[in-house]
Amino acid sequence: MSQGSFSQGVGEWIGAAEVYNGDGRFAGIGRDTRSVKADDQAGRVTVEVEFDGPFSLSGVYTIADHGSHRTYEGPLNIGYAEALGDGLVAAHNYWPDLGLSQRFFLMVLPDGSHQLSLALLSRGDQLQWTVVGEYQRQVDPSDPVPPPVAEMDPEGLRDDPSAGRGELFLLRPGRWSGQLHRLDAEYTPTGPADYAETVAAQDNSWEVELSGADYSSGLSFTLLSDGWTAWTPAGDLMGSGSLSGGRGFSGQFHLLSEGLRVWRREVVSRDGTMKAVLHIWYRGEQRLGAAYGALAFEPT
């Protein structure tokens, strides 16, 4: 199993999260601060959260580190997370104050001072909120507080799938490239590998080519989109997913020739230059492995 540590997550984090409702419409900005402190020498940290936006949440919870996984011990947040590596967790947890279950991943970017996250908050199987988060580490309390994110008007942007940016960052023509860390079925690291995604715009569709790092290497597929969701016609890799402001994506794709399925989750930074990706591969319900990392964008 991967042995991620708390080291990259400890500290003060200040950020803003774009919140989308269950049908993908922009609902508002969430002002989010988190204080993560080492609690003792037994592998625990205490997290203090203050979130104010379309919904509000504040309080404290404890996380216990078990090496390959973490347990969220409440009272604010209860659940289980797998530590896929230093700086990355993937969690299934529950917020009792909201009555909502959460599927979540959070990645510290290579610079060590920024985080990207994607949270899918549901009641039962009904999606309530998608939260696309971006945070900056406050190294020293005396350092200037990061400037606030510009206001985004929910009413004015409700019918704009790009949330005012004029383009869907995830579907811009260009190339995403970098190294992804590979894990086997037990989440044991098997080494990094180069990876690239090339996106080319066509009439009312996008052509995507993949190379390197995982089971989909060397494949190409067509994506169709209405701005809120994206899906494929018949082809080598088929599936669909939800878009959140063109920055967040979560969906399932099938590589039928190998009997495989991949759960792809991705978040693009607000400036559009970096993308955090987590791809977990399955055969049926059996996990086969994963690939994750940060990709940089080059426009064409």
Side-chain angles (χ1 to χ4, degrees):
M1 294 286 289
S2 177
Q3 300 291 306
S5 75
F6 279 131
S7 60
Q8 292 200 48
V10 172
E12 307 295 319
W13 296 91
I14 299 174
E18 294 177 14
V19 181
Y20 297 84
N21 63 23
D23 64 0
R25 268 55 179 178
F26 178 69
I29 289 288
R31 310 294 175 181
D32 196 357
T33 61
R34 282 182 286 118
S35 175
V36 184
K37 297 179 180 179
D39 199 33
D40 52 35
Q41 300 302 311
R44 279 180 166 79
V45 298
T46 297
V47 184
E48 184 173 354
V49 173
E50 188 73 36
F51 186 94
D52 184 25
F55 61 90
S56 295
L57 191 66
S58 64
V60 175
Y61 61 94
T62 299
I63 306 176
D65 189 355
H66 304 280
S68 63
H69 67 279
R70 300 170 183 176
T71 52
Y72 293 67
E73 300 181 335
L76 185 69
N77 187 9
I78 299 168
Y80 183 97
E82 292 178 295
L84 305 189
D86 283 343
L88 173 66
V89 294
H92 290 260
N93 46 19
Y94 183 69
W95 300 95
D97 289 357
L98 298 175
L100 296 176
S101 300
Q102 177 177 260
R103 293 165 289 162
F104 175 73
F105 92 90
L106 180 145
M107 184 184 297
V108 179
L109 295 181
D111 66 6
S113 62
H114 291 83
Q115 295 176 339
L116 293 174
S117 66
L118 183 69
L120 307 174
L121 294 160
S122 303
R123 182 165 293 137
D125 291 328
Q126 184 176 355
L127 183 65
Q128 302 284 321
W129 307 104
T130 299
V131 182
V132 181
E134 183 166 345
Y135 309 92
Q136 181 174 331
R137 187 195 298 270
Q138 189 81 350
V139 178
D140 189 312
S142 64
D143 289 344
V145 174
V149 173
E151 291 294 334
M152 299 169 66
D153 176 27
E155 290 301 321
L157 298 177
R158 190 174 305 281
D159 295 322
D160 181 356
S162 73
R165 282 176 281 267
E167 58 183 346
L168 303 170
F169 280 173
L170 285 162
L171 296 180
R172 288 174 298 169
R175 185 172 186 264
W176 295 97
S177 63
Q179 283 199 327
L180 296 188
H181 302 278
R182 296 174 298 176
L183 307 171
D184 66 14
E186 300 301 319
Y187 282 168
T188 301
T190 59
D194 292 336
Y195 180 82
E197 299 176 356
T198 302
V199 180
Q202 305 292 335
D203 291 337
N204 300 315
S205 67
W206 292 262
E207 297 299 321
V208 182
E209 294 185 4
L210 308 177
S211 65
D214 61 19
Y215 299 92
S216 59
S217 178
L219 289 178
S220 61
F221 58 96
T222 299
L223 269 180
L224 308 173
S225 177
D226 58 6
W228 316 104
T229 59
W231 65 95
T232 72
D236 294 328
L237 189 69
M238 296 178 286
S240 63
S242 299
L243 292 164
S244 299
R247 282 186 58 206
F249 181 84
S250 179
Q252 307 273 343
F253 289 83
H254 302 268
L255 183 57
L256 293 183
S257 62
E258 304 294 333
L260 301 180
R261 168 176 59 89
V262 59
W263 181 13
R264 293 173 61 108
R265 285 174 283 174
E266 307 180 349
V267 177
V268 178
S269 59
R270 280 192 301 270
D271 64 7
T273 62
M274 298 291 293
K275 178 169 73 166
V277 305
L278 173 58
H279 301 163
I280 303 179
W281 287 86
Y282 301 86
R283 176 169 285 120
E285 296 302 316
Q286 179 186 5
R287 186 178 68 206
L288 298 183
Y292 72 89
L295 307 179
F297 183 72
E298 300 173 34
T300 56

